């Protein structure tokens, strides 16, 4: 309970006290959007680090050397909002996450998401999905990575495995943009909060960035199954890393 209270207080104070900063960033963005994005990324990375300390999360990170120094499409399993808070801290450059449309309705928070390049998706609107993919491709070609939770929604099962099926359509972002895919395997984040919402609990978590997949190495048929390949790689890594969270 104490961790949850401190976490809420910090998050609320951060959003309120940084309101003047948002105004400054808006002015900076008019002339230099990339600079605004870099500043926003550093600030969000710092705030996420504080939240993780408050939660007492013990993180084992594997494979950061597999993150290329170029824009990529990250994809991984999704059990918790903490998947974003944890993984964002290891991004080497700008990276926007694909979020559900309802996140756009959260005051102030939505502005920060815009500034770090997040994309919004209405799962019930095909046109929205097509536009999100075009925007993601544009971002990657412009130098920003994109993080897609290819299960399409948060997996609410009690255990980490099995994963939901990965949406193959998401991987057209990598195919069309010509970028590599970095699968990300995350163990045990649901037990930070979602398993006993709203209370925070200090638990061990493991994150592994797997070796990149280059869509250019696959023929036309192989490109249609990049989601299944990513899912298999992530599943195998999660099974291996399960021993690290006990």
């Amino acid at each position: 309970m104490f961790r949850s209270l401190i976490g809420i207080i910090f998050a609320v104070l951060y959003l309120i006290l940084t309101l003047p900063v948002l105004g400054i960033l808006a002015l900076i963005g008019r002339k230099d959007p990339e600079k605004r994005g870099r500043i926003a990324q550093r600030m969000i990375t710092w705030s996420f680090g504080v939240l993780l300390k408050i939660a007492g999360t013990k993180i084992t990170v594997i494979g950061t050397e597999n993150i290329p120094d170029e824009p990529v499409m990250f994809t991984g399993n999704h059990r918790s909002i903490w998947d974003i808070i944890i993984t964002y801290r290891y991004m080497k450059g700008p990276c926007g996450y694909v979020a559900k449309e309802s996140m756009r309705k959260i005051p102030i928070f939505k502005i920060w998401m815009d500034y770090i390049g997040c994309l919004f998706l209405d799962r019930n609107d095909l046109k929205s999905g097509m536009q999100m993919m075009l925007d993601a491709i544009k971002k990657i070609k412009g130098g920003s990575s994109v993080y897609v939770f290819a299960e399409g929604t948060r997996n609410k099962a009690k255990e980490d495995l099995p994963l939901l099926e990965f949406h193959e359509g998401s991987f057209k972002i990598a195919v069309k943009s010509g970028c590599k895919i970095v699968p990300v395997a995350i163990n045990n984040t649901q037990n930070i909060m979602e398993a006993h919402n709203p209370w925070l609990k200090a638990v061990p978590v493991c994150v592994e960035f797997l070796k990149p997949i280059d869509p250019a190495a696959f023929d036309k048929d192989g490109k249609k199954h990049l989601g299944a390949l990513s899912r298999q790689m992530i599943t195998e890594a999660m099974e291996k890393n399960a021993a690290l969270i006990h």
Side-chain angles (χ1 to χ4, degrees):
M1 181 177 179
F2 179 74
R3 292 182 188 277
S4 301
L5 180 61
I6 297 300
I8 292 170
I9 291 173
F10 171 78
V12 171
L13 286 177
Y14 181 88
L15 292 175
I16 293 174
L17 295 177
T18 56
L19 278 173
V21 177
L22 288 177
I24 296 172
L25 289 176
L27 293 174
I28 293 174
R30 291 179 183 177
K31 293 185 177 181
D32 193 342
E34 290 186 6
K35 183 177 181 180
R36 179 185 66 189
R38 289 194 300 270
I39 296 172
Q41 182 175 8
R42 287 196 293 268
M43 293 184 66
I44 294 297
T45 299
W46 175 82
S47 67
F48 283 176
V50 174
L51 285 172
L52 287 166
K53 287 183 180 179
I54 292 171
T57 308
K58 305 162 188 175
I59 307 173
T60 298
V61 183
I62 305 169
T64 53
E65 70 278 4
N66 290 325
I67 304 175
D69 293 318
E70 62 187 65
V72 300
M73 173 182 156
F74 292 95
T75 189
N77 56 303
H78 189 28
R79 298 300 311 276
S80 168
I81 186 65
W82 293 85
D83 296 332
I84 300 169
I85 294 173
I86 291 171
T87 56
Y88 190 74
R89 300 179 67 242
Y90 300 98
M91 299 297 103
K92 293 182 177 180
C95 180
Y97 285 64
V98 176
K100 56 185 179 181
E101 180 66 23
S102 58
M103 299 293 286
R104 196 195 294 269
K105 300 177 182 179
I106 304 176
I108 308 177
F109 190 67
K110 180 261 181 187
I111 300 175
W112 282 109
M113 293 181 73
D114 280 338
Y115 284 178
I116 63 173
C118 290
L119 300 166
F120 298 93
L121 172 65
D122 184 346
R123 302 189 190 103
N124 299 316
D125 186 344
L126 181 60
K127 185 177 179 180
S128 170
M130 293 299 296
Q131 186 59 53
M132 182 279 293
M133 290 186 65
L134 292 173
D135 291 342
I137 292 168
K138 183 178 179 181
K139 279 187 176 295
I140 290 172
K141 289 185 175 181
S144 173
S145 294
V146 172
Y147 200 122
V148 180
F149 292 109
E151 289 173 288
T153 188
R154 183 167 65 85
N155 188 339
K156 298 180 181 179
K158 291 183 179 180
E159 303 296 331
D160 276 332
L161 294 171
L163 304 181
L164 301 177
E165 294 298 321
F166 279 21
H167 293 266
E168 293 290 348
S170 304
F171 293 83
K172 291 182 180 179
I173 294 172
V175 173
K176 297 294 185 182
S177 66
C179 76
K180 294 176 181 177
I181 301 163
V182 177
V184 186
I186 310 174
N187 289 69
N188 207 40
T189 49
Q190 75 277 10
N191 284 315
I192 299 175
M193 184 180 74
E194 279 80 0
H196 35 77
N197 198 29
W199 313 121
L200 293 177
K201 184 177 179 182
V203 299
V205 168
C206 183
V207 181
E208 181 170 2
F209 295 91
L210 306 177
K211 291 185 177 181
I213 301 169
D214 187 355
F218 295 81
D219 60 19
K220 184 177 180 180
D221 184 64
K223 288 183 173 68
K224 296 178 181 179
H225 304 286
L226 295 173
L229 174 59
S230 299
R231 182 178 183 271
Q232 179 183 351
M233 291 173 63
I234 291 169
T235 296
E236 290 173 356
M238 292 177 68
E239 290 173 343
K240 169 179 67 72
N241 296 334
L244 299 177
I245 60 170
H246 296 294

